[in-house]
Amino acid sequence: MSTTVSTTASMLFSPLTTRAVKGDTAYILSELAPQLMDQRRIQQLVNNNGNTRHTKEGSNKLISLEDISTSTTTPKPDDILFNSEIPESKAPLSLFQGYKATFQEVESPNNSKKKSKFHKRKVRGLLTEAFGSQDAMSDIASIDGDYKPLNQLIADRDRVVRENNKIQMQESRTKAEIKKIEGEIAELTARKLNLEANLAKYNERQIELSSQLGDLDEKIANFNPENNNSERRMRTKGKGAAKHNYEHGTCIKVLEGHDDIITCLDFDKSCGTLITASLDNTLRAWDLNNYRCLGILDGHKDVVNCLQVNGSRLVTGSRDKTIRQWDLSKLISHPESVTNLSELSFASASVHEANGLSNIGDNCWIASLEGHSKSITCLYFENNSLVSGSSDKTMKHWDMETGQCILTMDILWAMSSSKVERRQAGFLFDSYIFDGGEFIGALQFRDVGLASGTEDGAIRMWDLRTGQAHRTLLSHTGPITSLQFDDRHVVSGSVDRSIRIWDLRTGSIIDTFSYDNSVTSLQFDTNKIISCAGSNDIKIYNRTNFQHSSFEGHSQQVQCVKFKDSILSSGGRDKVVKLWAL
């Protein structure tokens, strides 16, 4: 009996085991079942003894007094349990507390959701108090769930490995497909860029042809036979270039007479007059109909660096720091001693043979413009406006009617204001020494827009209303020697041995042509770019079929070129001027 009592007490008051905390009720009942069954047997035996004694007392005496005394003096299990000394437990929780924490009380449907969170926190708190930390409680709680047999673990591992291999294969296929798609995208992008470039060229050519078509329609609509006949009567009956149909690239005539390198030239086809300048300090006028020198336009005291002919108006810029205006119509209308151009040409030739060419500049000179402090290096005029560039590092805007300077633009100031921009583009011209030479190599303007090319390799766009440079095109690595622009493009030549075509809208380079020597002169229209680059031939680029060709004929380097319509003129270091058919 004492064994039963101690067993029962130990079960009731002993500390909670891991399985009790886990809520394994079946385990607890299995431990208590033998003890409870013994107590029930004892109670049943006592009850049976009492009933037998009362029913059979009168008839016979089967049970002795010793048995009765023994049965009556047997204590009840409850009394024994109550009177027994309960062993002191060191567990923080009793069986009842563990049971209460483990099994949730039955709640009403409305209150179950509200108390679920509180019950979980309470259970977590009780378990934490019992086992000291959340990690210990997690370890204890995961004993049953993590336990698996070895074969099951091996099977799980094999399954994970197969799944991992499958994912790796899918990943490899996906990467291969992505790489293939990227290659196709790159190829398509390159093809797209090529097609867009071709499309842009086609659009430009279409615009140019539309413009030419409009001009031709206008000329046809305004055609007057009487004016055409009068223009023909103004020309001589000699064999001019316009009276013959020459093949492309044919040298029509060679004009000899200068004693040094040809520096610049220009002509007007309608008047049939060609003007050339040379290092021999002469400015000569030529008759294109008879290929004769009409005479010398005297007036400048030094070499003429630049000139422009527009109709019957001629403007020249010289190293003597002055700009002169000439009227070529007086050269044709007022011959002093001859009645026609042929006679004037032969008369001039005879004078040249005897005493040298006659001075015909006094008849044609109109006015002089003075203001620059150094040599005039380039100029351009349109209507009654003229812009000149000088080695004094300034450009001046002139009114040709009044002869007054309207505006002066300082190149050095513009360069200092764009120093950061030039450094960002990689041009380190701060150490460049600008000493002499053609500081401003070329310029051109249209309306209020001016483009200039300078010795620092930069092309600057100016506003003639304010005199401010609002854009700088940087790419050339040497001084600019020539430039020209239209509504869409700027074409520039440089000492860096290249010609660059710029997009005026974006300021980006469309195309670049490289040569063996410095580019000294160029001119372009919608169909072609003609230039000379330190060689004996003339470079021609066809903008329609993108083909390069050349005219060969000079014995030394070609120095300058100029073309109008179907006639090209060129001057070189061989001291001659050549006329070519385009």
Side-chain angles (χ1 to χ4, degrees):
M1 182 63 68
S2 61
T3 302
T4 303
V5 173
S6 61
T7 301
T8 305
S10 63
M11 294 302 296
L12 292 175
F13 300 101
S14 63
L16 289 175
T17 63
T18 302
R19 303 188 69 86
V21 174
K22 190 74 175 177
D24 196 348
T25 309
Y27 176 80
I28 298 174
L29 295 178
S30 65
E31 295 290 341
L32 292 176
Q35 308 300 331
L36 296 177
M37 291 298 295
D38 292 340
Q39 294 177 13
R40 292 183 62 183
R41 289 194 188 97
I42 294 171
Q43 185 65 35
Q44 184 177 5
L45 179 60
V46 172
N47 293 335
N48 291 335
N49 291 335
N51 294 333
T52 305
R53 185 175 62 250
H54 289 296
T55 54
K56 297 182 178 180
E57 183 178 3
S59 60
N60 53 6
K61 303 291 186 179
L62 297 176
I63 302 175
S64 65
L65 291 175
E66 184 179 357
D67 294 334
I68 295 174
S69 63
T70 302
S71 63
T72 55
T73 58
T74 301
K76 295 182 178 181
D78 294 338
D79 295 336
I80 296 172
L81 181 61
F82 181 77
N83 294 327
S84 299
E85 183 179 356
I86 300 174
E88 185 177 356
S89 177
K90 298 180 181 180
L93 297 176
S94 66
L95 176 62
F96 301 103
Q97 290 175 332
Y99 181 81
K100 187 175 182 180
T102 304
F103 296 97
Q104 183 178 358
E105 296 180 359
V106 179
E107 299 290 342
S108 62
N110 296 330
N111 296 332
S112 60
K113 293 183 179 180
K114 297 181 180 179
K115 293 185 179 182
S116 60
K117 293 183 179 180
F118 173 76
H119 177 71
K120 291 180 180 179
R121 289 196 296 270
K122 185 174 180 181
V123 171
R124 190 180 297 111
L126 292 173
L127 297 179
T128 303
E129 292 176 359
F131 297 100
S133 66
Q134 187 72 21
D135 294 337
M137 184 183 70
S138 300
D139 293 340
I140 294 171
S142 62
I143 291 175
D144 290 340
D146 293 343
Y147 176 76
K148 291 183 179 180
L150 180 60
N151 58 352
Q152 182 65 35
L153 294 175
I154 295 174
D156 292 343
R157 182 184 181 279
D158 294 339
R159 177 181 54 80
V160 172
V161 169
R162 288 193 300 272
E163 185 175 357
N164 184 41
N165 294 336
K166 182 179 179 181
I167 292 176
Q168 288 180 353
M169 294 177 61
Q170 293 176 349
E171 181 183 7
S172 300
R173 288 196 297 266
T174 303
K175 288 182 178 179
E177 291 179 359
I178 292 175
K179 187 175 181 180
K180 180 180 178 181
I181 292 173
E182 289 177 349
E184 293 176 352
I185 291 175
E187 183 180 357
L188 292 175
T189 302
R191 291 178 59 189
K192 178 185 176 184
L193 293 176
N194 189 19
L195 292 175
E196 287 178 349
N198 293 336
L199 181 62
K201 293 180 180 179
Y202 298 151
N203 291 336
E204 292 176 3
R205 181 58 182 162
Q206 187 177 9
I207 293 173
E208 293 168 359
L209 293 176
S210 299
S211 177
Q212 293 179 5
L213 183 61
D215 294 340
L216 292 174
D217 291 340
E218 183 178 358
K219 290 180 180 179
I220 292 173
N222 298 329
F223 180 77
N224 190 342
E226 295 182 357
N227 293 337
N228 189 44
N229 293 332
S230 63
E231 182 179 353
R232 290 180 179 178
R233 284 193 297 269
M234 290 179 61
R235 300 178 180 178
T236 63
K237 298 181 181 180
K239 296 180 180 180
K243 296 180 178 294
H244 297 274
N245 294 324
Y246 295 98
E247 293 183 1
H248 177 76
T250 301
C251 181
I252 301 173
K253 192 68 178 179
V254 178
L255 304 179
E256 299 179 352
H258 283 290
D259 297 329
D260 211 330
I261 297 173
I262 310 298
T263 57
C264 55
L265 53 81
D266 197 2
F267 67 94
D268 185 87
K269 187 178 178 182
S270 61
C271 294
T273 305
L274 169 68
I275 308 297
T276 60
S278 170
L279 290 180
D280 61 6
N281 292 348
T282 62
L283 182 67
R284 299 182 179 234
W286 305 79
D287 181 9
L288 291 180
N289 297 290
N290 292 291
Y291 311 120
R292 304 293 183 183
C293 180
L294 300 178
I296 297 176
L297 299 173
D298 194 13
H300 284 293
K301 299 178 181 179
D302 207 335
V303 175
V304 174
N305 288 328
C306 51
L307 61 88
Q308 180 183 348
V309 177
N310 190 354
S312 62
R313 179 178 289 185
L314 167 66
V315 178
T316 57
S318 172
R319 294 181 183 178
D320 62 5
K321 312 172 190 177
T322 65
I323 300 170
R324 283 180 170 258
Q325 299 184 60
W326 314 80
D327 186 0
L328 298 180
S329 62
K330 295 180 180 180
L331 176 66
I332 298 175
S333 303
H334 302 284
E336 295 181 354
S337 58
V338 294
T339 57
N340 56 53
L341 291 176
S342 299
E343 294 176 359
L344 177 61
S345 301
F346 287 109
S348 300
S350 62
V351 172
H352 173 62
E353 292 175 358
N355 301 319
L357 290 175
S358 63
N359 177 19
I360 58 176
D362 293 339
N363 295 332
C364 303
W365 176 72
I366 300 175
S368 296
L369 305 177
E370 298 182 0
H372 285 290
S373 60
K374 289 187 177 181
S375 171
I376 311 298
T377 58
C378 55
L379 58 82
Y380 185 86
F381 75 89
E382 188 177 82
N383 299 326
N384 289 321
S385 294
L386 168 69
V387 177
S388 59
S390 171
S391 295
D392 61 8
K393 304 174 181 61
T394 65
M395 294 185 297
K396 292 183 180 292
H397 184 199
W398 306 84
D399 186 338
M400 298 181 66
E401 289 185 350
T402 62
Q404 299 297 317
C405 178
I406 302 173
L407 180 66
T408 299
M409 291 157 280
D410 191 346
I411 299 293
L412 292 181
W413 182 87
M415 289 174 58
S416 62
S417 63
S418 62
K419 184 181 296 185
V420 175
E421 182 180 4
R422 289 186 288 113
R423 284 180 176 175
Q424 291 176 350
F427 294 91
L428 304 177
F429 287 110
D430 294 338
S431 60
Y432 194 94
I433 299 176
F434 302 108
D435 185 15
E438 297 182 355
F439 185 84
I440 304 174
L443 61 84
Q444 181 194 345
F445 74 90
R446 179 177 295 182
D447 296 331
V448 296
L450 168 67
S452 67
T454 51
E455 202 169 18
D456 62 350
I459 300 174
R460 291 179 176 85
M461 313 302 294
W462 304 74
D463 189 338
L464 289 177
R465 295 169 296 186
T466 62
Q468 301 295 321
H470 57 82
R471 182 191 290 185
T472 303
L473 305 179
L474 297 173
S475 180
H476 283 293
T477 58
I480 305 297
T481 59
S482 52
L483 68 80
Q484 182 187 343
F485 72 89
D486 57 13
D487 295 334
R488 299 172 62 87
H489 302 113
V490 177
V491 180
S492 58
S494 171
V495 176
D496 64 4
R497 300 177 294 180
S498 70
I499 292 177
R500 301 180 191 271
I501 304 176
W502 308 75
D503 190 334
L504 269 180
R505 298 166 296 180
T506 63
S508 60
I509 297 177
I510 299 176
D511 209 344
T512 301
F513 307 133
S514 298
Y515 301 101
D516 297 331
N517 299 288
S518 301
V519 178
T520 57
S521 177
L522 66 82
Q523 184 183 355
F524 79 94
D525 61 9
T526 57
N527 298 320
K528 55 189 173 296
I529 300 175
I530 298 180
S531 63
C532 51
S535 60
N536 299 350
D537 59 346
I538 301 171
K539 314 292 185 182
I540 300 177
Y541 172 69
N542 192 318
R543 302 180 68 185
T544 303
N545 57 20
F546 315 114
Q547 299 295 321
H548 292 267
S549 60
S550 62
F551 292 168
E552 297 180 357
H554 283 276
S555 60
Q556 296 186 34
Q557 297 178 4
V558 181
Q559 193 69 21
C560 52
V561 291
K562 183 70 67 171
F563 72 87
K564 292 181 180 178
D565 296 333
S566 59
I567 302 297
L568 166 65
S569 61
S570 62
R573 292 180 175 270
D574 54 5
K575 309 174 187 179
V576 300
V577 176
K578 289 180 177 285
L579 301 178
W580 309 81
L582 293 176

